[in-house]
Amino acid sequence: MDLVPALEEPLKKVLGPPTAKVMAEHLGLHTVGDLLHHYPRRYEERGQLTHLADLPMDEHVTVVAQVADARLHTFASSKAPRGKGQRLEVTITDGSGRLQLVFFGNGVHKPHKELLPGTRAMFSGKVSLFNRRLQLAHPAYELLRSDTDETVETWAGALIPIYPATAKLESWKIGKAIQTVLPSAQEAVDPLPDSLREGRGLVPLPEALLKIHRPHTKADIEDARARLKWDEAFVLQVALARRRHADSQLPAVPRKPAPDGLLSAFDDRLPFTLTEGQLKVSKEIFDDLATSHPMHRLLQGEVGSGKTMVALRAMLAVVDAGGQAAMLAPTEVLAQQHHRSVVEMMGNLAEGGMLGGVEDATKVVLLTGSMGAAGRRQALLDLVTGEAGIVIGTHALIEDKVQFHDLGLVVVDEQHRFGVEQRDALRGKGKQPPHLLVMTATPIPRTVAMTVFGDLETSVLDQLPAGRSPIASHVVPAADKPHFLARAWDRVREEVEGGHQAYVVCPRIGDEEDDPRKARKKTPEDEAEKRPPLAVLEVADQLARGPLQGLRIEVLHGRMPPDDKDAVMRRFAAGDTDVLVATTVIEVGVNVPNATAMVIMDADRFGVSQLHQLRGRVGRGSAPGLCLLVSEMSEASPARRRLDAVAATLDGFELSRIDLEQRREGDVLGQAQSGVRSSLRVLAVIEDEEIIAEARQEAAAIVAADPELTGLPGLRTALDALVDQEREQYLEKG
């Protein structure tokens, strides 16, 4: 790979081993190029100080402020029993607020000499609370003097870059390291084609790097960010466009349903008419299936919009055309549930080769990791002979032993739980690459779909089938108003007395404390509340002895043996259980129309999309649904605002936008979709919608004209770097 040598230079050589080690371990920076792409988070101006009033708790911050006063106290302690202990308290101010700095022991001498009233400095440390006042204990600091030419040049009137830092490496040390490597920016090879860069009035890459790290004006920062956002959006979209292009070159067997075959027989028996949305999306899928290159389609649908019905009709079309279809589910509970509902929907059309099966019937088999040997052997045999037209299973389907007669379509449910590697492994089971349909019930804003699922075409189901009932959602503030919680349990009782059923969802199972290795890492919220999240086993016990005494209560969680899980779900589906106390294993796909109420305990511990998913489990029949979000967080907290947003709307797309705005950009592409280094640095998925859409168009045009990018060495280099680092972390999660 002909990467630019200056930017390839290891930091160890340039900055020395100790600094390079910290940068590699804590920030994932290894080369000069990595460091140049570590952009400032924000900038401080000499005249405009950070608002000390707005400091976040428990975060590592960098502030610029002036010393208001400094006092040295002596005290007695176990280490210094004769009153010889020393504590230096320094108060700093920026006009908006005051903050206390504390230094102890031998650490007081240097700051006592240097931090005199009137001194200005940059301070860096972790914000903590002591005696109800914010403080920084033992902060690192850098004095802002203006008595030498060098510092006048660096600081006077300059915008001070504040870098994403760690406790081991303060922002200004990163800044100094960047000043050392900044001359190398001149050698950065520009990934953007000249015509594109000039046509959009973007500055060259070396200039952008210079301006983002050493801006003289705010306009410099704007120029640099505009340019670097394009880099991020464009290089990523080229990677995805090349993947789409490569996929479109693959051959596939066109699959057209027989005119009077299985699909027609199925449609004729449907007791309801399909929604307009289902018909429109089905047409898009059938058109794709009829082509001679593989379909790659993402089907987004609101919870309960009838995605499974659309997927089943696609599978039947492929079976009609002589092929087989596989449906991949993320959990055994869900695979079993899908298998049950598909067999129920198909009736005797699912009894191929059996007595009572009709002429066009096929066999529908289930394949999961925990099946008994005999059942598994039979399922594998049905697949290899072609006896089974449809198989539904977990990732057990990907194993080497599984052979198909003629795999024509792969349906993946809840895409974010499967990586591209797994998709590819299953696709490799076809004689030619099978068609691919990916389903998700997590609504994804358009730009995230373009960024994360950029190698798939998108269909959206946003209509709910007739007969679906509205779901009322309310926040139950358990700490402020305990009687609201008592009323919540009364409501559950009322639903059960009315002949319905209810879910109670908890964040934890409750048996993990037995194993010290599995002790949870505490979050700041846990620390604040001094109690672990509520657990299924404890809550079920308390409810059975307390407010729901006398009702038939069962528990369901991911660590139960699969047969037990299935038995619990069957009893609940059959109406033999009144209340199911569960973890989020019920989040996806569980369908019990008679369940009308859901109480989510510690609802603030769940993400917005997860709450929306969970809520979609009720209101699936003709009776209205009720979802109660129980939380002990105070009304003013961000967690409560999140819950209020969920209670206020049933629109999943609206919620996914709110979710995106409230979480950091890196989280959005999430652990599931991006590695630590690949989380976007300057591109904001919601704000930069236009850039992403335009970059996608430009990328598609460039790849169509020159798939190998032979005329664009700079772009190839950037792409190799992106795919190289992120091959494991990014594209396969996309």
Side-chain angles (χ1 to χ4, degrees):
M1 212 171 17
D2 53 350
L3 271 180
V4 184
L7 300 194
E8 282 275 77
E9 194 80 51
L11 289 173
K12 198 157 57 180
K13 277 189 176 171
V14 189
L15 304 174
T19 308
K21 186 168 186 264
V22 176
M23 285 195 169
E25 284 176 8
H26 294 275
L27 297 168
L29 308 176
H30 303 278
T31 64
V32 167
D34 291 346
L35 182 54
L36 286 173
H37 287 293
H38 187 71
Y39 308 134
R41 178 174 285 156
R42 56 190 171 84
Y43 300 86
E44 287 299 351
E45 292 176 68
R46 288 300 310 274
Q48 176 206 343
L49 299 172
T50 327
H51 286 306
L52 292 181
D54 302 335
L55 288 180
M57 274 295 288
D58 275 334
E59 278 197 27
H60 207 85
V61 298
T62 302
V63 295
V64 177
Q66 189 161 356
V67 177
D69 70 33
R71 295 177 188 186
L72 191 61
H73 302 273
T74 53
F75 61 91
S77 71
S78 56
K79 287 182 182 169
R82 290 196 294 280
K84 293 279 176 62
Q86 289 191 311
R87 180 175 78 244
L88 176 66
E89 288 177 6
V90 178
T91 305
I92 59 172
T93 178
D94 67 348
S96 76
R98 297 167 86 81
L99 179 66
Q100 191 158 30
L101 315 177
V102 197
F103 301 88
F104 292 102
N106 295 336
V108 304
H109 305 309
K110 186 166 175 270
H112 190 219
K113 283 209 293 274
E114 294 182 335
L115 297 179
L116 305 171
T119 307
R120 287 167 50 78
M122 276 208 279
F123 301 93
S124 179
K126 195 172 181 186
V127 183
S128 56
L129 203 58
F130 181 71
N131 280 346
R132 312 193 72 165
R133 288 169 66 189
L134 291 180
Q135 70 165 27
L136 296 182
H138 281 285
Y141 62 87
E142 172 94 340
L143 302 181
L144 300 184
R145 298 193 183 91
S146 51
D147 51 1
T148 70
D149 288 348
E150 197 275 325
T151 48
V152 170
E153 207 282 308
T154 314
W155 301 119
L159 291 153
I160 304 166
I162 305 294
Y163 289 93
T166 73
K168 294 270 195 296
L169 203 61
E170 295 86 14
S171 169
W172 55 84
K173 287 187 181 160
I174 297 171
K176 283 180 173 167
I178 282 174
Q179 296 297 347
T180 307
V181 301
L182 206 49
S184 306
Q186 292 305 330
E187 298 190 41
V189 173
D190 206 320
L192 294 190
D194 292 346
S195 55
L196 189 159
R197 188 174 58 69
E198 286 156 11
R200 295 185 179 274
L202 299 168
V203 301
L205 181 58
E207 188 183 328
L209 291 170
L210 218 56
K211 283 182 166 175
I212 198 135
H213 292 299
R214 288 191 75 165
H216 293 297
T217 62
K218 286 186 177 169
D220 282 354
I221 300 170
E222 285 312 304
D223 284 352
R225 289 176 69 85
R227 164 59 217 248
L228 295 166
K229 281 182 178 191
W230 254 95
D231 274 21
E232 282 187 10
F234 180 70
V235 175
L236 179 57
Q237 289 301 336
V238 168
L240 294 165
R242 290 187 72 198
R243 188 177 172 95
R244 284 197 304 278
H245 181 270
D247 285 342
S248 72
Q249 302 305 302
L250 296 171
V253 180
R255 309 280 179 177
K256 293 180 184 165
D260 295 316
L262 186 56
L263 180 61
S264 306
F266 176 76
D267 283 350
D268 291 344
R269 304 165 167 228
L270 282 179
F272 51 82
T273 50
L274 297 168
T275 64
E276 269 174 54
Q278 285 174 317
L279 290 168
K280 178 176 134 290
V281 169
S282 289
K283 182 179 179 330
E284 291 171 350
I285 291 170
F286 290 154
D287 288 350
D288 281 1
L289 289 174
T291 61
S292 55
H293 58 82
M295 163 172 85
H296 290 107
R297 191 164 281 282
L298 172 70
L299 172 56
Q300 289 192 57
E302 273 289 11
V303 177
S305 57
K307 289 184 303 300
T308 312
M309 174 59 72
V310 169
L312 176 55
R313 292 183 73 240
M315 293 198 287
L316 295 175
V318 168
V319 174
D320 247 359
Q324 290 169 293
M327 186 181 217
L328 208 53
T331 63
E332 295 214 347
V333 168
L334 191 52
Q336 287 160 340
Q337 165 100 22
H338 275 320
H339 182 254
R340 261 202 310 277
S341 59
V342 164
V343 169
E344 275 165 25
M345 284 195 271
M346 286 176 65
N348 60 3
L349 292 173
E351 294 171 3
M354 291 184 258
L355 230 57
V358 289
E359 189 190 346
D360 292 310
T362 186
K363 208 168 181 181
V364 180
V365 300
L366 175 70
L367 189 64
T368 62
S370 63
M371 281 170 78
R376 191 175 168 77
R377 246 195 326 274
Q378 185 57 53
L380 291 171
L381 190 65
D382 288 341
L383 286 181
V384 78
T385 58
E387 186 82 13
I390 294 177
V391 58
I392 296 168
T394 54
H395 48 258
L397 279 176
I398 301 169
E399 289 171 14
D400 292 342
K401 291 198 270 300
V402 182
Q403 298 295 323
F404 289 84
H405 177 64
D406 179 13
L407 181 60
L409 170 68
V410 175
V411 178
V412 178
D413 193 18
E414 288 310 316
Q415 154 67 9
H416 55 277
R417 316 210 179 182
F418 288 103
V420 166
E421 250 88 14
Q422 291 166 303
R423 270 174 18 194
D424 285 348
L426 192 54
R427 283 186 1 203
K429 304 235 176 239
K431 295 189 177 70
Q432 285 194 329
H435 299 280
L436 174 72
L437 178 66
V438 166
M439 303 197 294
T440 177
T442 310
I444 307 159
R446 193 172 72 102
T447 41
V448 179
M450 277 189 227
T451 310
V452 180
F453 301 102
D455 60 336
L456 304 170
E457 299 300 325
T458 306
S459 296
V460 178
L461 261 183
D462 44 14
Q463 255 181 315
L464 288 188
R468 272 303 165 94
S469 308
I471 305 172
S473 307
H474 305 283
V475 178
V476 177
D480 315 346
K481 301 179 176 166
H483 60 287
F484 275 36
L485 184 57
R487 175 75 190 113
W489 300 126
D490 292 345
R491 282 292 289 113
V492 170
R493 242 180 211 291
E494 287 161 19
E495 289 296 313
V496 172
E497 281 159 11
H500 297 298
Q501 292 159 280
Y503 297 100
V504 177
V505 181
C506 306
R508 215 163 46 94
I509 297 173
D511 57 1
E512 48 280 88
E513 268 58 25
D514 310 341
D515 183 349
R517 287 170 307 183
K518 288 191 183 157
R520 284 174 75 261
K521 188 165 171 260
K522 285 195 165 54
T523 65
E525 279 103 330
D526 295 349
E527 291 293 357
E529 292 178 13
K530 290 289 181 280
R531 77 163 173 75
L534 291 169
V536 166
L537 302 176
E538 295 154 18
V539 169
D541 192 41
Q542 287 162 8
L543 293 176
R545 286 183 305 175
L548 301 184
Q549 199 170 4
L551 299 187
R552 296 169 301 176
I553 297 174
E554 290 213 58
V555 300
L556 179 71
H557 58 74
R559 228 175 285 144
M560 288 163 62
D563 290 350
D564 295 1
K565 278 193 280 204
D566 199 39
V568 169
M569 271 319 300
R570 278 177 190 278
R571 286 195 291 273
F572 190 63
D576 299 338
T577 306
D578 299 320
V579 179
L580 187 62
V581 183
T583 55
T584 53
V585 349
I586 61 152
E587 172 189 351
V588 191
V590 172
N591 185 21
V592 179
N594 191 44
T596 51
M598 175 177 286
V599 180
I600 302 179
M601 307 304 290
D602 279 342
D604 45 89
R605 314 272 178 145
F606 298 98
V608 170
S609 302
Q610 207 171 21
L611 291 170
H612 182 58
Q613 286 282 321
L614 287 165
R615 168 171 66 184
R617 301 298 115 218
V618 296
R620 299 179 78 86
S622 51
L626 171 69
C627 179
L628 301 173
L629 306 167
V630 179
S631 171
E632 293 188 358
M633 299 306 263
S634 72
E635 209 166 333
S637 65
R640 262 294 285 285
R641 286 201 295 276
R642 216 169 53 228
L643 295 181
D644 291 336
V646 174
T649 178
L650 289 170
D651 180 343
F653 285 93
E654 174 59 23
L655 285 174
S656 68
R657 271 192 99 86
I658 291 168
D659 196 17
L660 211 45
E661 281 157 9
Q662 289 188 345
R663 290 156 62 188
R664 292 200 318 279
E665 209 63 53
D667 290 345
V668 171
L669 301 178
Q671 237 27 68
Q673 270 99 9
S674 75
V676 183
R677 288 250 14 246
S678 65
S679 55
L680 302 176
R681 298 178 187 87
V682 282
L683 195 68
V685 177
I686 286 279
E687 286 164 34
D688 299 321
E689 201 160 331
E690 276 176 37
I691 294 179
I692 293 171
E694 288 172 22
R696 182 179 165 106
Q697 278 180 332
E698 293 273 10
I702 279 169
V703 170
D706 179 6
E708 292 306 307
L709 309 176
T710 40
L712 298 165
L715 178 55
R716 273 215 70 109
T717 298
L719 202 59
D720 286 341
L722 173 92
V723 178
D724 208 38
Q725 297 159 10
E726 303 176 8
R727 182 72 213 131
E728 301 82 30
Q729 297 168 321
Y730 199 126
L731 289 176
E732 93 283 13
K733 300 293 198 306

